[in-house]
Amino acid sequence: MSDTVSALLAGVDWAAVAILTPLAGGAAAFVLPDRARAIGVAASVTTAAAAVALVWLIATAGPYDLAVGGWSAPLGIRIAADGLSAVLIGMTNLVGASVAVHAALTGRQTKPVAEAGVAAWGFWPLWLLLLAGLNALYLSADVFNLYVTLEIVGLSAVGLAALSGKAEAFKAAIRYLLVGIIASLVYLLGVTLLFAQYGVLDLAGLRAVLVPAPATQFAMVAMLAALAMKSALFPLHGWLPPAHGNATSPVSALLSALVVKASLYIAVRLWLDLYQPAGLGDDAIATVLGVLGACAVLWGGLQALIAKRLKLVVAYSTVAQIGYLFMCFPLWADGREALAAFVYLAVAHAFAKSALFLACEQVQRTLGDDQVSSLSKPELPGAVKVTFALAAVSLVGLPPSGGFIGKWLLLESTLSHGLTVWTVIVLCGTLLSAAAMARVLARFFAPEGQAAAHPQVVGDAASWRFSLTPLLLAVAAVGIGLLGAWPVELVGIVGTAQ
Amino acid sequence: MTPLVLLDLVLGAVVLGLVAATLWSGSRARMTMLFIGFGGVVALVWMRLGAPDVALAEAAVGAALTGALILRAQGSVPAPLPERSRPWIIRGLVAGLSVAVFGALAWALISLDWKARPGLERVVEARLPESGVTNPVTAVLLNFRAYDTLLEMAVLLIATAAVWCLGRSSETPQLPPDDPLNLALLRPLVPLLCIVAGYLLWLGAFAPGGAFQAGAVLSGALLLLLVAGLPRAPGQMDTLRLRATIAAALLVFLGVAAATAMSEATLLQYPPHRAKDLILVIEAALTLSVAYTFLVLFQGGRPPPREVRA
Amino acid sequence: MTVSLGYALLGAAILALSIYPLVLARDLLRRIVAANAFGTGIFLILVALGFRGEGATPDPTTHGLVLTGIIVAVSATGLALALVARMHAAGARLEDV
């Protein structure tokens, strides 16, 4: 039995399946909008299964590598995946499929935004194409191909962000799009200079020939700056809170948990596999990124504490969490050990943040709005409060959650590098997010108006649809810590300079 | 001073002057017209630099189509009222950034070895016979780096889906149907454009041309029909056929990709004797999808479904 | 080859010139035009890179990259313009972005 399973695992090109399936699903959902939801769920789940198969294959048989079309680099394009890509692909597909299932479950219950004429069916083709873009991005080993995948991710994210039909959503979407266009062009400028100097677009090929030179240094600065802009690093984070705060909840979940990590991953990949080994990894650049990350942690934390709307609290928390991820850059000056911290933080955040945003939908539905001041009403079902509590546990970093392990590894690394200021900032950031979460949770668990005065306060029959997925995601975030050392081992699988 | 150097100097000066005039023009209408002119001159630059495929695409897409899109938007969105300008310190900083970027980029470019630049033309030339076509650019786009083109099809579909999700297309300003200019334009132009599109598509295998250029020309025909106000022009109703045409390129390409991935060969590896035919089929679907995507972008929204229009 | 370098520098100039209106212009349409000009500057550098002199075959990879870039640029522009029109229809002002 296990022979057939391993034969199946090894015989199918799971990476191709993970890219082609959502592309086909997206096209099908566009052509057949009446069946869009069924196509969407089927494609999301199938792609997730293919992604899990791919991750399993990498964990057991080593990194994945393919020359598309049979043309080896530098003529053709390579797709490849090592441990780091594997973990992020797994995260993207598992969280993504969960959000898709949630959107399918809750689709009929949400009021269609008829006033603006905006189509709700559009979620499915845009989501599936976004998923295809994300998978293609994590698998890409060619700097120009990365540009095309960045465009796919960026444009579909903008399309999704505009779906809620509100005027603020359109404004936020156009700002998001403008920032995205500028960032993509600056990235492309970097690609141009690399090709100018080396005549190669393949990552492994570039790594073999990269030398410190003016054109290469310009390319590095341009590409990292562009990716920082796309990842909402302080002070270029202004586009994120309105975009994530005004979108529909499943879209906010996808944007905060998944989209924002994609450009960050490219920055990490370029830094670790390309620029740093070639000797361009100047401490200055890493320090700048780390300092900006620290500012993001503090600034995001403060804004989350004073935000008036629940979704803005959650969106600013994303800004802060991205800050932690950027603070990892100086820790890689002498090796990749601290990569585990980055991975734990990123993955735990994906699960926790998606849980939070999805739970916001139930809040909005029950209470009519998401003002923090009105969260004390007693009508909220218990499942939502528990979801928030669990997700907060992971975001703040309490054991045994994934967030705790990530922060622990981060602190360990900052201490061993002697960066005490960093340690202090991480601790301050933790306090700030704890305070922000406590502010929300306090209102949840201390309702005004006695429960006795409203004895029939239960969710309506359909409310389980809204509460199930977020709860599961939050449990997953906390449960990551129970996976043991397996993720760290997985990350340790290094590819042939992807 | 040889004629060529003179040409280069003139072209450079005109391009630079046009872009400055476009970006700093006082009125919007002038900005759009200058932008289209800028695109046209850039197409000449592409010809000068030996890139006829790019020149065709620049003229059709970069200048004409983009210009048409901006003109359309200009009509429906009024210009903002002039307000007091931003504080001089911000303006100074951004201007300084501009200068710094130019300086750094120029330094980076000058530092390159322009006599012995690395490039892929020899590799491409060596493998060209295996690609199924003799136009090197088509070989790169549809065979060697076909994966990029596949993903690009997804970009086009995303743009269409996202624009459709924004709402219904508003009424396109149209020529009055009995306008003699209308008929005089349509009767010769639309068939001519279709023929030129087909020719460019077929030509792309061995000479400058190809699917993108053909699709752009075909979209010209579609846009003419739209603006002419013909009741049965393509793209007026949201039908299954319209959606299928828009998604056709991606679906066909995916079919080829899936077939190759499931066969003995790897993903997107065409069987050598079939390469030419596969490329033509993919390009034909690409032409249609590109043309209809440009039509959708111009409309700016989703057409009404069949039931609404009698 | 000085021709290539010359055109590459021209591309650099075009993109540097477009930075100012791209960041600071109040009219969204002007910012979109500036973004297109920025892209054209990058494409100019790429094609100049691929140029090998009169009569010699240029590097077709650069041409392919630019073609892809042109199509991506028009897709983004189309989406941006549709969003601006929708934003205006919903009552928001262009300068608020």
Side-chain angles (χ1 to χ4, degrees):
Chain A
M1 187 57 200
S2 68
D3 281 344
T4 43
V5 171
S6 357
L8 187 66
L9 272 180
V12 177
D13 187 353
W14 294 108
V17 175
I19 297 176
L20 297 180
T21 311
L23 282 178
F30 176 80
V31 175
L32 306 166
D34 297 328
R35 312 237 169 60
R37 192 148 56 123
I39 296 175
V41 175
S44 306
V45 171
T46 315
T47 311
V52 168
L54 179 64
V55 173
W56 185 258
L57 208 55
I58 294 177
T60 49
Y64 169 88
D65 204 303
L66 178 73
V68 180
W71 309 107
S72 54
L75 184 64
I77 300 174
R78 253 177 73 235
I79 52 179
D82 65 357
L84 173 62
S85 334
V87 174
L88 293 173
I89 290 178
M91 164 192 94
T92 302
N93 282 273
L94 288 175
V95 172
S98 312
V99 175
V101 166
H102 175 99
L105 281 175
T106 61
R108 267 203 206 105
Q109 274 73 27
T110 35
K111 286 198 293 287
V113 191
E115 322 78 75
V118 169
W121 64 265
F123 175 80
W124 294 106
L126 287 173
W127 153 240
L128 287 175
L129 292 170
L130 171 65
L131 179 60
L134 287 170
N135 284 343
L137 191 150
Y138 288 118
L139 283 165
S140 178
D142 177 289
V143 283
F144 184 78
N145 189 249
L146 278 170
Y147 166 72
V148 182
T149 58
L150 271 175
E151 287 300 314
I152 294 183
V153 170
L155 290 181
S156 52
V158 168
L160 285 168
L163 277 181
S164 72
K166 302 187 284 186
E168 305 91 64
F170 289 136
K171 260 171 51 176
I174 189 70
R175 196 197 291 191
Y176 185 10
L177 180 57
L178 214 51
V179 168
I181 290 176
I182 296 174
S184 296
L185 287 173
V186 175
Y187 176 84
L188 184 59
L189 183 57
V191 170
T192 305
L193 283 169
L194 283 181
F195 189 69
Q197 181 141 24
Y198 306 106
V200 171
L201 293 167
D202 179 61
L203 276 175
L206 280 171
R207 182 188 179 146
V209 294
L210 212 71
V211 289
T216 315
Q217 280 162 340
F218 189 101
M220 173 179 72
V221 171
M223 290 162 100
L224 289 177
L227 294 165
M229 230 161 103
K230 279 200 177 261
S231 313
L233 177 62
F234 184 94
L236 300 165
H237 65 283
W239 59 266
L240 191 147
H244 293 200
N246 283 309
T248 57
S249 297
V251 170
S252 306
L254 294 173
L255 292 179
S256 260
L258 303 179
V259 173
V260 110
K261 309 272 169 46
S263 36
L264 236 178
Y265 156 79
I266 301 180
V268 173
R269 175 68 66 193
L270 292 176
W271 182 252
L272 286 179
D273 278 355
L274 202 61
Y275 292 121
Q276 204 196 35
L280 276 128
D282 216 8
D283 279 344
I285 308 262
T287 314
V288 166
L289 288 174
V291 166
L292 291 177
C295 296
V297 166
L298 296 174
W299 180 252
L302 270 170
Q303 293 289 345
L305 196 50
I306 61 176
K308 294 233 171 28
R309 282 181 49 216
L310 185 57
K311 277 186 123 162
L312 281 178
V313 172
V314 183
Y316 272 109
S317 147
T318 302
V319 173
Q321 296 282 329
I322 304 276
Y324 288 124
L325 295 173
F326 271 101
M327 284 176 80
C328 294
F329 270 82
L331 304 172
W332 297 322
D334 50 3
R336 295 166 67 124
E337 294 84 35
L339 199 53
F342 177 87
V343 166
Y344 267 104
L345 283 172
V347 175
H349 175 251
F351 280 97
K353 193 47 64 75
S354 52
L356 278 181
F357 268 122
L358 290 184
C360 282
E361 193 168 11
Q362 176 72 305
V363 170
Q364 208 146 0
R365 189 172 152 264
T366 322
L367 299 178
D369 65 37
D370 66 335
Q371 298 287 331
V372 175
S373 47
S374 52
L375 287 179
S376 322
K377 305 218 186 92
E379 293 100 32
L380 278 177
V384 171
K385 304 183 187 181
V386 172
T387 304
F388 259 88
L390 285 176
V393 161
S394 178
L395 274 181
V396 171
L398 299 170
S401 66
F404 165 71
I405 302 190
K407 283 232 174 110
W408 179 263
L409 291 171
L410 180 63
L411 286 169
E412 217 179 26
S413 193
T414 56
L415 283 172
S416 73
H417 280 84
L419 298 163
T420 24
V421 180
W422 255 219
T423 316
V424 169
I425 293 185
V426 172
L427 292 172
C428 284
T430 310
L431 279 175
L432 281 171
S433 48
M437 287 289 116
R439 177 176 163 240
V440 169
L441 288 172
R443 288 178 191 270
F444 276 156
F445 288 106
E448 318 161 336
Q450 297 306 309
H454 305 268
Q456 258 95 35
V457 178
V458 289
D460 55 355
S463 92
W464 70 268
R465 290 168 179 261
F466 286 84
S467 314
L468 178 64
T469 323
L471 188 56
L472 289 176
L473 285 168
V475 168
V478 173
I480 288 179
L482 304 170
L483 283 175
W486 184 73
V488 183
E489 284 165 14
L490 182 56
V491 171
I493 298 176
V494 178
T496 50
Q498 197 208 17
Chain B
M1 183 173 283
T2 62
L4 217 45
V5 173
L6 193 59
L7 172 70
D8 288 335
L9 286 175
V10 169
L11 268 178
V14 171
V15 166
L16 212 49
L18 273 176
V19 79
T22 310
L23 294 173
W24 272 275
S25 66
S27 85
R28 242 195 200 177
R30 208 179 312 156
M31 171 185 80
T32 313
M33 289 307 158
L34 285 171
F35 176 72
I36 299 177
F38 168 65
V41 180
V42 169
L44 290 177
V45 173
W46 299 145
M47 285 305 299
R48 157 66 178 113
L49 289 176
D53 302 77
V54 184
L56 285 169
E58 177 74 47
V61 181
L65 181 71
T66 312
L69 290 175
I70 300 177
L71 270 174
R72 174 101 205 277
Q74 201 181 297
S76 47
V77 178
L81 302 163
E83 298 176 15
R84 54 174 187 83
S85 40
R86 298 177 200 257
W88 64 265
I89 209 175
I90 306 250
R91 289 190 284 150
L93 272 175
V94 176
L97 177 68
S98 250
V99 172
V101 166
F102 178 73
L105 188 49
W107 174 61
L109 287 170
I110 293 174
S111 74
L112 294 171
D113 183 358
W114 289 87
K115 292 267 191 283
R117 264 167 296 149
L120 292 171
E121 64 272 17
R122 274 186 225 110
V123 184
V124 171
E125 208 174 306
R127 309 301 290 267
L128 196 55
E130 301 166 49
S131 67
V133 293
T134 41
N135 178 356
V137 180
T138 305
V140 166
L141 279 175
L142 269 295
N143 199 339
F144 303 141
R145 292 185 69 97
Y147 180 51
D148 267 346
T149 310
L150 171 65
L151 292 182
E152 204 186 326
M153 292 301 100
V155 172
L156 282 173
L157 186 59
I158 291 171
T160 306
V163 166
W164 269 21
C165 287
L166 291 178
R168 296 256 172 257
S169 53
S170 48
E171 286 301 314
T172 318
Q174 285 165 353
L175 289 175
D178 51 356
D179 189 317
L181 192 62
N182 199 345
L183 294 175
L185 264 180
L186 273 193
R187 285 231 178 86
L189 262 186
V190 171
L192 187 64
L193 286 172
C194 293
I195 294 176
V196 170
Y199 177 63
L200 276 174
L201 169 62
W202 171 74
L203 198 62
F206 53 88
F212 294 114
Q213 297 84 344
V217 170
L218 186 60
S219 77
L222 293 175
L223 285 174
L224 271 179
L225 289 172
L226 180 74
V227 169
L230 291 180
R232 294 185 44 198
Q236 299 275 34
M237 283 188 295
D238 173 13
T239 61
L240 178 63
R241 198 161 65 160
L242 175 65
R243 293 196 297 268
T245 315
I246 292 174
L250 184 56
L251 288 168
V252 166
F253 220 147
L254 282 172
V256 172
T260 53
M262 291 194 288
S263 72
E264 286 298 316
T266 52
L267 176 66
L268 282 178
Q269 185 172 21
Y270 309 144
H273 53 283
R274 289 279 181 81
K276 186 168 164 46
D277 305 323
L278 278 175
I279 290 180
L280 189 60
V281 166
I282 295 175
E283 282 206 298
L286 234 141
T287 306
L288 282 175
S289 294
V290 162
Y292 276 86
T293 302
F294 290 165
L295 178 66
V296 165
L297 288 181
F298 186 82
Q299 286 176 311
R302 189 179 180 194
R306 193 190 283 278
E307 304 82 55
V308 175
R309 292 264 188 139
Chain C
M1 297 224 45
T2 32
V3 173
S4 291
L5 178 57
Y7 277 105
L9 287 173
L10 177 65
I14 292 175
L15 78 86
L17 271 176
S18 49
I19 291 179
Y20 188 91
L22 182 56
V23 175
L24 288 184
R26 294 228 184 254
D27 183 6
L28 272 173
L29 255 51
R30 191 173 295 263
R31 294 177 80 174
I32 292 173
V33 168
N36 276 285
F38 193 99
T40 305
I42 299 180
F43 300 154
L44 197 44
I45 300 178
L46 266 172
V47 175
L49 277 176
F51 182 61
R52 293 282 181 267
E54 293 77 35
T57 324
D59 183 352
T61 322
T62 54
H63 300 179
L65 299 183
V66 170
L67 266 170
T68 308
I70 291 178
I71 301 291
V72 166
V74 79
S75 305
T77 301
L79 178 55
L81 290 171
L83 259 176
V84 170
R86 199 59 59 175
M87 195 181 98
H88 170 77
R93 295 183 320 154
L94 256 63
E95 316 80 73
D96 287 345
V97 174

